[in-house]
Amino acid sequence: MERKLVNQLKYYINENVCIQGWIYRVRRLKSITFIILRDRSGLVQCVINNTEFDTLELTNESVISINGIVKEGKNTLNPFEVEVKKLEIISKVYEELPIELNKENLEVNLNTMLNNRALSMRHQKVTAIFKVQNIIVNAFREFLNNNGFTEIHTPKIVKEGAEGGTEVFEVKYFENKAYLAQSPQFYKQMMVGAGLERVFEVGHAYRAEEHNTNRHLNEYVSMDLEMGFIEDEGDIMIMEEELLKYIIQSLKKHGKEYVEILGISIPEINGEIPKLDFNEALEILKREYNKTDLEGDLDPEAEKLLYKYSKEKLNSEFIFLTNYPRKKRPMYTMPKGEFGTHSFDLLFRGIEITTGGQRIHDYNMLIENMKYKGLTIEDYENYLSIFKYGMPKHGGMAIGLERITAKVLGLENVREATLFPRDRKRLVP
Amino acid sequence: MERKLVNQLKYYINENVCIQGWIYRVRRLKSITFIILRDRSGLVQCVINNTEFDTLELTNESVISINGIVKEGKNTLNPFEVEVKKLEIISKVYEELPIELNKENLEVNLNTMLNNRALSMRHQKVTAIFKVQNIIVNAFREFLNNNGFTEIHTPKIVKEGAEGGTEVFEVKYFENKAYLAQSPQFYKQMMVGAGLERVFEVGHAYRAEEHNTNRHLNEYVSMDLEMGFIEDEGDIMIMEEELLKYIIQSLKKHGKEYVEILGISIPEINGEIPKLDFNEALEILKREYNKTDLEGDLDPEAEKLLYKYSKEKLNSEFIFLTNYPRKKRPMYTMPKGEFGTHSFDLLFRGIEITTGGQRIHDYNMLIENMKYKGLTIEDYENYLSIFKYGMPKHGGMAIGLERITAKVLGLENVREATLFPRDRKRLVP
């Protein structure tokens, strides 16, 4: 008999069905036993006659298969229940569960949750996080596919990937030394120049950062885009704004159920996202909050203060900071005047979720800027070659999937939005 | 003025437009110069009055911006052309092009093509390969999203990833030794047991294989799925058959243009894909082709002969081989009798494009089988834990994205369907 999902049972009142799933809860009375069965679609109460079945082996989280009749009958879960006619244990539980799953909240600390990731995922408040993450990544792809972008898959084992930084993981690649890519930056630029013009990638990026914070991962999913034939970084910010509005719409359309489970509200973008020049931001931090210890970049406190400012004064949870200092941005960033750049960060709820900007498209200017950054031209030969053969004006951006998920859901630690996080101390499960 | 794409120009006859792209070809006559401009949507002829512009700097593959009027006028490309009123060079070409792009075919060998990947991609026959690849991967996701699957992103830096094989790349992970994941196998099984029931992932997989063949890559994109509450591997084969039919439909719907450029025909699945027991296949190879040198697995010659057999006798380009020998399949494969397994390969046009099967869901049986395979139980602690807490019967499969793309398009070498291949000798670009 074909298995039915719990959320289909309402169409089978008084019919014989097969359902399969995990035991969410068992309640033994004298003559009957109530079981709540959980499958990926929901929970349903099942009633067992104790004289017909041995219910002793039925323990929480065992996997069972039930044949029974769907009977009308109100309970806290549904206006029906299942009268069990046949019962089979597919997999029993061999050891005491390390965490309790049938409570309203998972009352465990982050480490316990991550150490038992496959088990903690069974809790609906944890599942909901990753369902929301799915909606975000699907909306990202859908929006870009609708806007003429081509999805690409670029290598993560690279020889030239260092972008001038040192925080790279080393890979032994046969007799050679290679690295894990810190971003698909060079490859997505190359694919713009390859005539695809507009490309995106959803793939892993690696940063061998030593520090262990609640917002960094050493392996994360980067949602990258890059587009050619722009005027300047303004076109990228417009594209991102439309993209974020699309993601928000998608969350409203497909995420209602999960948002309710998590008890959060979906962020709004009202009109245009405000833009603030980096230097103006420094002025505001000084003037409004007496914060003067910054040099060339923001720190987490500054990001939080600017969020406060943006929310209170500009009525926005999002804010673009533009024109970051040239000395702090990577060598491919298009300079603006002597000290600035055609670049931006997007802050959302007090954290940077995007870095983007216009890139240098002129070969000679790029060489100049690499020298300014003290880089060795010869190390970037393959990347540079595409700039010799006609490169359009272009730019792009990247959003960290785990980070945006965490911030949308108001999670304190980015690891909560990561199935199997990799950090300074964590390599398993 | 907003840029228009070439494929939109038919709506702007006699209007002033801005177009931007690469110079595909230049033809200088005495008083006028013809330029063919290429953007991501197509080619268009542009006419320049030599007395108005200096055309000497206009060389193939330079990036230009043109303002002009769309005039009716038949040429080999379109029923219109653009009369140039303003012309700007965005990026000139600094060096002689290493390959000729404006020929019907790219007449270069594979190495030259790959060494100049970003440039060779500009040829429409190369672009078309990756457009087809996009359709395949989108159809894969779409079909699975429609069938209750959840997309997952699992780590590629792993401690336990070795599945019993030795062909792994080593990563220096701070003070620890780690590896690049050979597949998401363990994680996707864990996520089935985590209650998601049906999961898929499109992500990189790594094999440190020493041999350099036209069908292997050391880094490739694996399209993986895993599903719970199955009866046996038959359910996985049914799912794959439906998936492949969906991909084929999608190619017919969205890929017509590219398939025509490449001059190929899309494969067909008529009715059910035939199934052949592995032992029966050995019999056929012996009886029909006098091939008797196989032990436990097929070699490339056997795969080709079975394709011949399948095509001639069973009228199918696809064939499932089932019941592979237990000693040759990984430890998580559900045994079938003493020597067989509930597993399958799918051969397509003489090459294995999928490996799949039912997995062991019972904790004790899994321990037994790991011992049978000579594995150290302690090395798999995290993977094993999920089997203690209720695991449904489950199974899954994986398709190599580059390999299926190559076979659908009739490409000889899988590298042609890989943007930036990584192989025994190749680590750049």
Side-chain angles (χ1 to χ4, degrees):
Chain A
M1 191 186 250
E2 197 203 350
R3 174 197 188 209
K4 297 281 180 288
L5 290 176
V6 164
N7 68 0
Q8 303 170 307
L9 294 184
K10 55 178 178 270
Y11 306 117
Y12 295 92
I13 303 293
N14 295 323
E15 287 184 46
N16 205 347
V17 295
C18 169
I19 54 175
Q20 300 184 327
W22 288 265
I23 296 177
Y24 181 71
R25 186 175 286 143
V26 186
R27 189 155 57 99
R28 277 187 199 81
L29 304 180
K30 198 167 170 201
S31 59
I32 55 171
T33 298
F34 290 106
I35 279 181
I36 294 174
L37 179 135
R38 184 191 66 235
D39 70 14
R40 72 176 191 270
S41 76
L43 300 172
V44 66
Q45 176 168 289
C46 306
V47 190
I48 300 175
N49 185 330
N50 289 351
T51 61
E52 287 179 43
F53 298 97
D54 177 8
T55 62
L56 282 181
E57 282 216 324
L58 300 177
T59 55
N60 287 348
E61 299 304 320
S62 300
V63 178
I64 58 172
S65 181
I66 283 174
N67 284 21
I69 297 168
V70 187
K71 292 281 188 188
E72 282 184 5
K74 215 165 160 46
N75 51 64
T76 52
L77 297 167
N78 304 295
F80 54 82
E81 58 186 18
V82 175
E83 205 178 280
V84 176
K85 296 295 169 195
K86 210 178 127 191
L87 174 75
E88 188 199 341
I89 296 178
I90 295 175
S91 276
K92 62 175 192 165
V93 168
Y94 285 87
E95 269 183 23
E96 202 186 336
L97 297 170
I99 50 185
E100 267 190 300
L101 289 166
N102 54 15
K103 293 278 163 66
E104 160 105 29
N105 289 301
L106 249 196
E107 279 150 7
V108 296
N109 67 30
L110 183 64
N111 262 333
T112 306
M113 184 168 84
L114 294 176
N115 288 341
N116 298 281
R117 182 47 113 179
L119 207 54
S120 58
M121 273 290 285
R122 291 185 188 172
H123 195 281
Q124 65 167 2
K125 289 202 176 179
V126 182
T127 313
I129 295 170
F130 295 95
K131 293 290 187 180
V132 166
Q133 188 167 80
N134 254 231
I135 295 167
I136 293 173
V137 74
N138 278 333
F140 178 85
R141 289 198 198 101
E142 211 170 81
F143 175 83
L144 296 176
N145 279 326
N146 293 343
N147 280 278
F149 284 76
T150 301
E151 184 175 358
I152 55 175
H153 306 276
T154 69
K156 305 308 162 203
I157 303 182
V158 296
K159 198 176 171 185
E160 296 177 335
E163 288 184 33
T166 51
E167 291 162 331
V168 287
F169 288 113
E170 193 183 306
V171 182
K172 201 171 159 305
Y173 193 79
F174 303 111
E175 53 281 354
N176 290 307
K177 203 187 275 187
Y179 304 96
L180 292 180
Q182 290 181 299
S183 85
Q185 183 61 36
F186 293 175
Y187 292 106
K188 61 181 186 164
Q189 288 186 264
M190 285 161 92
M191 287 299 104
V192 167
L196 295 178
E197 296 188 12
R198 296 178 165 204
V199 297
F200 73 91
E201 179 163 13
V202 178
H204 280 105
Y206 300 90
R207 306 279 164 107
E209 283 172 1
E210 288 275 352
H211 55 302
N212 228 8
T213 76
N214 66 1
R215 55 201 230 156
H216 289 94
L217 296 164
N218 293 105
E219 176 183 59
Y220 69 98
V221 176
S222 183
M223 302 195 291
D224 267 88
L225 69 82
E226 195 79 14
M227 57 192 274
F229 299 102
I230 60 170
E231 193 46 44
D232 56 32
E233 77 280 17
D235 291 339
I236 310 294
M237 288 191 274
I238 290 170
M239 187 62 82
E240 173 156 29
E241 194 171 290
E242 286 173 13
L243 167 62
L244 289 171
K245 285 178 178 174
Y246 191 88
I247 290 174
I248 289 169
Q249 282 313 312
S250 204
L251 284 170
K252 286 183 180 168
K253 197 168 155 193
H254 306 295
K256 208 164 162 288
E257 172 189 352
Y258 310 114
V259 161
E260 271 168 23
I261 288 172
L262 293 165
I264 58 115
S265 60
I266 296 168
E268 296 280 351
I269 297 177
N270 308 308
E272 261 186 45
I273 297 177
K275 294 179 186 68
L276 205 58
D277 187 286
F278 181 79
N279 300 301
E280 209 180 318
L282 292 190
E283 277 304 309
I284 288 168
L285 287 166
K286 195 163 134 191
R287 190 180 69 221
E288 304 271 331
Y289 307 104
N290 200 25
K291 184 167 173 66
T292 57
D293 60 341
L294 297 170
E295 223 223 308
D297 208 351
L298 301 180
D299 60 13
E301 192 202 3
E303 289 185 351
K304 283 199 186 74
L305 290 172
L306 285 172
Y307 172 51
K308 193 172 148 66
Y309 178 83
S310 168
K311 208 164 172 221
E312 289 170 5
K313 304 279 167 89
L314 309 169
N315 188 30
S316 176
E317 299 208 288
F318 295 87
I319 184 166
F320 277 120
L321 294 191
T322 62
N323 192 21
Y324 273 75
R326 188 176 170 199
K327 63 182 171 188
K328 291 287 182 180
R329 287 286 178 158
M331 55 87 169
Y332 48 77
T333 313
M334 179 64 88
K336 186 178 179 177
E338 198 175 342
F339 302 110
T341 53
H342 287 274
S343 69
F344 65 89
D345 273 9
L346 178 65
L347 305 190
F348 169 50
R349 292 180 175 166
I351 195 169
E352 171 251 305
I353 57 161
T354 297
T355 292
Q358 185 183 353
R359 327 298 189 185
I360 296 172
H361 61 280
D362 180 77
Y363 178 72
N364 288 330
M365 188 193 282
L366 187 54
I367 297 280
E368 276 307 302
N369 212 43
M370 289 174 75
K371 285 182 186 161
Y372 166 83
K373 290 277 177 189
L375 298 172
T376 312
I377 309 300
E378 290 69 36
D379 291 351
Y380 298 87
E381 194 189 335
N382 276 289
Y383 170 62
L384 282 169
S385 72
I386 189 68
F387 294 90
K388 294 178 190 167
Y389 307 121
M391 190 72 173
K393 291 173 78 169
H394 66 289
M397 43 150 274
I399 306 179
L401 176 59
E402 298 87 350
R403 197 181 268 195
I404 193 175
T405 308
K407 280 324 251 186
V408 163
L409 298 178
L411 305 173
E412 275 196 16
N413 196 311
V414 68
R415 288 163 185 76
E416 293 182 67
T418 314
L419 278 184
F420 297 98
R422 293 292 176 259
D423 63 30
R424 187 68 187 77
K425 298 286 176 197
R426 184 175 284 281
L427 195 49
V428 287
Chain B
M1 192 185 249
E2 196 203 352
R3 176 197 187 207
K4 297 280 179 292
L5 289 177
V6 165
N7 69 0
Q8 302 170 309
L9 293 184
K10 55 177 177 273
Y11 306 116
Y12 295 91
I13 303 293
N14 295 323
E15 287 184 47
N16 206 347
V17 297
C18 169
I19 55 174
Q20 301 184 325
W22 288 265
I23 296 178
Y24 181 72
R25 187 173 285 141
V26 185
R27 192 157 55 100
R28 278 187 197 82
L29 304 181
K30 199 167 170 201
S31 58
I32 57 172
T33 298
F34 290 105
I35 279 180
I36 295 175
L37 178 135
R38 184 189 69 235
D39 69 16
R40 71 177 191 271
S41 76
L43 299 172
V44 64
Q45 177 167 291
C46 305
V47 190
I48 299 175
N49 185 329
N50 289 352
T51 59
E52 287 179 44
F53 298 97
D54 177 9
T55 62
L56 282 181
E57 281 216 323
L58 301 176
T59 55
N60 287 348
E61 298 305 319
S62 300
V63 177
I64 58 171
S65 180
I66 283 174
N67 283 23
I69 296 167
V70 187
K71 293 281 187 185
E72 283 185 2
K74 212 163 164 43
N75 51 66
T76 53
L77 298 167
N78 304 295
F80 54 81
E81 59 187 16
V82 175
E83 205 178 279
V84 176
K85 295 293 168 195
K86 208 178 127 193
L87 175 76
E88 186 198 345
I89 297 178
I90 295 176
S91 276
K92 61 175 193 165
V93 168
Y94 285 87
E95 267 184 22
E96 202 185 336
L97 296 169
I99 50 185
E100 265 189 300
L101 290 166
N102 54 15
K103 292 278 163 67
E104 161 105 30
N105 290 300
L106 248 196
E107 279 152 7
V108 296
N109 66 31
L110 183 63
N111 263 331
T112 305
M113 186 169 82
L114 294 176
N115 288 339
N116 298 280
R117 181 45 112 181
L119 207 55
S120 58
M121 274 287 286
R122 293 184 186 171
H123 194 281
Q124 66 167 1
K125 289 202 175 177
V126 182
T127 312
I129 294 170
F130 295 94
K131 293 287 186 180
V132 166
Q133 188 168 80
N134 255 233
I135 295 167
I136 292 173
V137 76
N138 279 332
F140 178 85
R141 289 199 198 99
E142 210 170 82
F143 175 82
L144 296 175
N145 279 325
N146 293 344
N147 280 278
F149 284 76
T150 302
E151 184 174 0
I152 55 175
H153 306 275
T154 69
K156 305 307 162 202
I157 302 182
V158 296
K159 198 177 171 185
E160 295 177 336
E163 288 183 35
T166 50
E167 290 163 332
V168 286
F169 288 113
E170 194 184 307
V171 181
K172 201 171 158 304
Y173 194 79
F174 303 113
E175 54 280 355
N176 291 306
K177 204 188 272 188
Y179 305 96
L180 292 180
Q182 289 181 301
S183 85
Q185 183 61 36
F186 293 175
Y187 292 106
K188 61 182 185 163
Q189 287 185 263
M190 287 161 92
M191 288 298 103
V192 167
L196 295 178
E197 295 188 15
R198 295 179 165 202
V199 296
F200 73 90
E201 180 165 11
V202 177
H204 280 107
Y206 300 91
R207 306 279 163 107
E209 282 174 359
E210 288 275 353
H211 53 303
N212 227 6
T213 76
N214 65 2
R215 54 202 231 155
H216 289 93
L217 294 164
N218 293 104
E219 175 182 60
Y220 68 98
V221 176
S222 182
M223 301 194 294
D224 266 89
L225 69 85
E226 196 78 14
M227 57 193 274
F229 300 100
I230 61 169
E231 195 45 48
D232 57 29
E233 77 281 16
D235 290 338
I236 311 293
M237 287 190 276
I238 289 169
M239 189 61 83
E240 172 155 29
E241 194 171 292
E242 285 173 13
L243 168 62
L244 290 171
K245 284 178 179 172
Y246 189 89
I247 290 174
I248 288 168
Q249 282 313 311
S250 204
L251 284 171
K252 284 182 181 168
K253 199 168 152 193
H254 306 294
K256 210 165 162 283
E257 173 190 351
Y258 310 114
V259 160
E260 271 170 21
I261 287 172
L262 293 164
I264 58 114
S265 59
I266 296 168
E268 296 279 353
I269 297 178
N270 309 307
E272 262 185 44
I273 296 175
K275 292 179 187 65
L276 206 57
D277 186 284
F278 180 80
N279 300 301
E280 209 180 319
L282 293 188
E283 278 304 309
I284 287 167
L285 288 166
K286 196 163 133 187
R287 190 180 71 221
E288 303 271 328
Y289 307 104
N290 200 25
K291 182 164 174 69
T292 57
D293 59 343
L294 297 171
E295 222 222 310
D297 207 351
L298 302 179
D299 61 13
E301 192 200 5
E303 290 185 349
K304 283 201 185 73
L305 290 172
L306 286 171
Y307 172 51
K308 191 172 147 69
Y309 177 82
S310 168
K311 204 160 177 224
E312 288 170 4
K313 303 280 168 84
L314 310 168
N315 188 30
S316 176
E317 298 207 289
F318 295 86
I319 185 166
F320 277 121
L321 293 190
T322 63
N323 192 20
Y324 273 75
R326 188 175 169 199
K327 63 180 171 188
K328 291 286 183 182
R329 286 285 177 160
M331 56 88 167
Y332 49 78
T333 314
M334 179 64 89
K336 185 177 180 178
E338 197 175 343
F339 303 112
T341 53
H342 288 274
S343 69
F344 64 89
D345 274 9
L346 177 65
L347 306 188
F348 169 51
R349 293 182 174 167
I351 195 169
E352 170 252 304
I353 57 160
T354 297
T355 292
Q358 186 183 353
R359 328 298 189 185
I360 295 173
H361 61 281
D362 180 76
Y363 178 71
N364 289 329
M365 189 194 281
L366 187 54
I367 297 280
E368 276 307 302
N369 212 44
M370 287 173 76
K371 286 182 184 159
Y372 166 84
K373 290 277 176 188
L375 298 172
T376 312
I377 308 300
E378 290 69 37
D379 292 349
Y380 299 88
E381 194 189 335
N382 276 289
Y383 170 61
L384 282 169
S385 72
I386 190 68
F387 295 90
K388 295 179 190 167
Y389 307 121
M391 191 72 174
K393 293 174 76 170
H394 66 287
M397 45 152 270
I399 307 178
L401 176 60
E402 298 87 348
R403 199 182 266 195
I404 193 176
T405 308
K407 280 324 250 189
V408 163
L409 298 179
L411 306 173
E412 275 197 17
N413 196 311
V414 69
R415 289 165 185 74
E416 291 182 67
T418 314
L419 278 185
F420 297 98
R422 292 293 175 257
D423 64 29
R424 186 69 187 76
K425 298 285 176 197
R426 182 175 286 280
L427 194 50
V428 288

